[in-house]
Amino acid sequence: MKKAVWAAIVLGVAVANTAQANSDDSQEGISWLKKMAGASRQLNYSGTFVYQHGNQSETSRIVHYVNSAGGEFEKLETLDGPAREVVRNNDQVTCYLPASKVVLIEQRDARQQLPLLLPERLNSVIENYVVRKEETDRVAGYECVWIALTPRDNLRYGRRFCAEINSGLPLRSRTISEKNQAVESFAFTQITIGGRFSSDKVKSRYATASKNWRIDRSALNISAGATGSGWTLNNQPQGFKKLTEMKRSIAGHSRDISHIVFSDGLAAVSVFIEPVSGERSTPALTHQGAVNIYKRTYADQMITVLGEVPAATVMQIANSLENKSAIAAGK
């Protein structure tokens, strides 16, 4: 009897210690997330990274600076495949495509998260993911610590980030599918953290030559109506909230396209709705690396939903969309 009592006491102490350790790891993980979010925006750094998705990989060079006034500047250029250079001045993004002699000018949005950009407000992230600090590692010669974000359901992917020990800058990341497979990864192969602001280093090498290129500003032709686009979800995925809703004028399309973005604080899902004519097409699901894409028609509209989330999530959003005007008219 005494042995059983002592065994129960020892087991209780072990469980309590494990629960405390898990709680400590979670709190420390959340603190690291906050540090990482600040580091991505506030640090000067430059380096080379490899981005892998599916069977494809791409190597790029990046320079990121913050000046004394708080302005954020960045230049990213691909080192393999078709040449491409992206220059960012705060929220304005200019993409140079020398092969086609085109300059695209747009505003940064929730989909542009390379190399890595975490939200400043982490409440939604903590609600939808279990955050834990894990083991230490080394990336590009720097010591880093792994922070794991495990989804609380099967509507989103898991994420793992390795943050540099001193600065908190994410040096490596992995996106883990619902099948526990890595569907996307990012890692610096060389990086320098720190250094003084230099405007020359964030200036495009194509700045002079591109004066005679075609400039496409169609992505800036956005109008967000006060009443929204008229679309609503009748079965909104748990944890996802509407981030933006607008009308976009896109080159090659004769009419404006409705664009809605939903986010769980980390993953973003974009919805595009445009008028179509002719026969109704069969719903289709495709994917590009970690991005699942689902298309379906609704009355005379084509709905396209895409995002770095499981296929079930984009399908739920697409199949739950309804037009309030059409419903009121009894269509």
Side-chain angles (χ1 to χ4, degrees):
M1 182 67 179
K2 288 183 179 180
K3 289 183 179 179
V5 172
W6 277 110
I9 292 173
V10 170
L11 179 60
V13 170
V15 170
N17 287 341
T18 300
Q20 181 62 46
N22 289 341
S23 177
D24 290 345
D25 286 345
S26 179
Q27 290 300 317
E28 200 167 358
I30 292 170
S31 296
W32 272 101
L33 273 187
K34 294 177 181 177
K35 188 174 182 178
M36 290 161 58
S40 297
R41 293 173 172 83
Q42 299 164 9
L43 285 179
N44 292 343
Y45 61 88
S46 60
T48 303
F49 66 88
V50 176
Y51 171 60
Q52 293 184 307
H53 53 102
N55 296 322
Q56 300 180 5
S57 66
E58 183 177 89
T59 306
S60 301
R61 182 185 295 118
I62 188 170
V63 179
H64 179 273
Y65 285 111
V66 179
N67 65 13
S68 57
E72 197 174 354
F73 305 88
E74 190 173 271
K75 184 173 78 169
L76 184 151
E77 54 184 326
T78 58
L79 301 181
D80 47 25
R84 185 176 77 253
E85 186 183 75
V86 180
V87 176
R88 179 166 68 87
N89 183 337
N90 293 316
D91 285 335
Q92 179 169 301
V93 178
T94 304
C95 181
Y96 297 87
L97 305 173
S100 55
K101 290 183 169 52
V102 172
V103 180
L104 304 176
I105 302 176
E106 59 184 352
Q107 293 292 112
R108 182 175 62 169
D109 62 26
R111 293 170 298 152
Q112 296 164 334
Q113 297 190 359
L114 282 177
L116 283 175
L117 186 62
L118 291 167
E120 293 179 284
R121 297 180 180 178
L122 297 170
N123 292 343
S124 295
V125 175
I126 296 168
E127 289 174 2
N128 296 307
Y129 300 84
V130 176
V131 185
R132 283 178 56 85
K133 177 192 173 189
E134 296 186 337
E135 74 277 8
T136 57
D137 203 344
R138 289 183 75 245
V139 174
Y142 287 86
E143 188 177 3
C144 59
V145 59
W146 281 104
I147 307 301
L149 282 74
T150 305
R152 297 183 184 273
D153 54 35
N154 60 359
L155 295 174
R156 60 209 93 233
Y157 290 148
R159 309 290 179 109
R160 296 185 76 226
F161 303 96
C162 207
E164 198 271 319
I165 288 290
N166 295 315
S167 66
L169 184 69
L171 301 181
R172 175 177 288 171
S173 78
R174 294 183 184 133
T175 301
I176 311 298
S177 74
E178 70 275 25
K179 297 178 182 178
N180 202 31
Q181 298 173 336
V183 292
E184 184 181 74
S185 67
F186 154 92
F188 275 105
T189 57
Q190 178 278 323
I191 186 170
T192 300
I193 300 174
R196 301 184 62 181
F197 170 73
S198 172
S199 59
D200 289 339
K201 291 185 178 180
V202 290
K203 181 180 179 181
S204 171
R205 67 169 65 189
Y206 304 108
T208 301
S210 64
K211 291 180 180 179
N212 297 319
W213 296 3
R214 181 172 67 85
I215 298 177
D216 184 349
R217 292 187 173 88
S218 61
L220 295 175
N221 298 330
I222 298 174
S223 58
T227 57
S229 63
W231 292 85
T232 184
L233 285 180
N234 61 30
N235 184 22
Q236 190 159 317
Q238 181 69 32
F240 283 87
K241 301 174 182 177
K242 186 188 296 182
L243 198 64
T244 60
E245 184 173 4
M246 64 197 74
K247 293 279 190 178
R248 303 187 73 128
S249 173
I250 298 179
H253 296 260
S254 59
R255 299 172 65 179
D256 287 350
I257 293 176
S258 295
H259 181 201
I260 309 170
V261 178
F262 296 93
S263 176
D264 66 353
L266 186 63
V269 178
S270 278
V271 178
F272 297 94
I273 306 165
E274 59 181 312
V276 293
S277 58
E279 296 183 2
R280 294 170 61 92
S281 60
T282 303
L285 175 69
T286 58
H287 73 274
Q288 296 178 3
V291 178
N292 279 296
I293 307 164
Y294 185 70
K295 293 186 176 185
R296 67 176 284 253
T297 53
Y298 176 98
D300 58 350
Q301 307 285 317
M302 172 62 74
I303 296 173
T304 302
V305 182
L306 60 91
E308 289 189 352
V309 292
T313 307
V314 295
M315 292 175 69
Q316 181 175 333
I317 290 176
N319 291 326
S320 299
L321 276 167
E322 292 183 343
N323 188 280
K324 290 179 284 189
S325 300
I327 294 172
K331 294 182 180 180

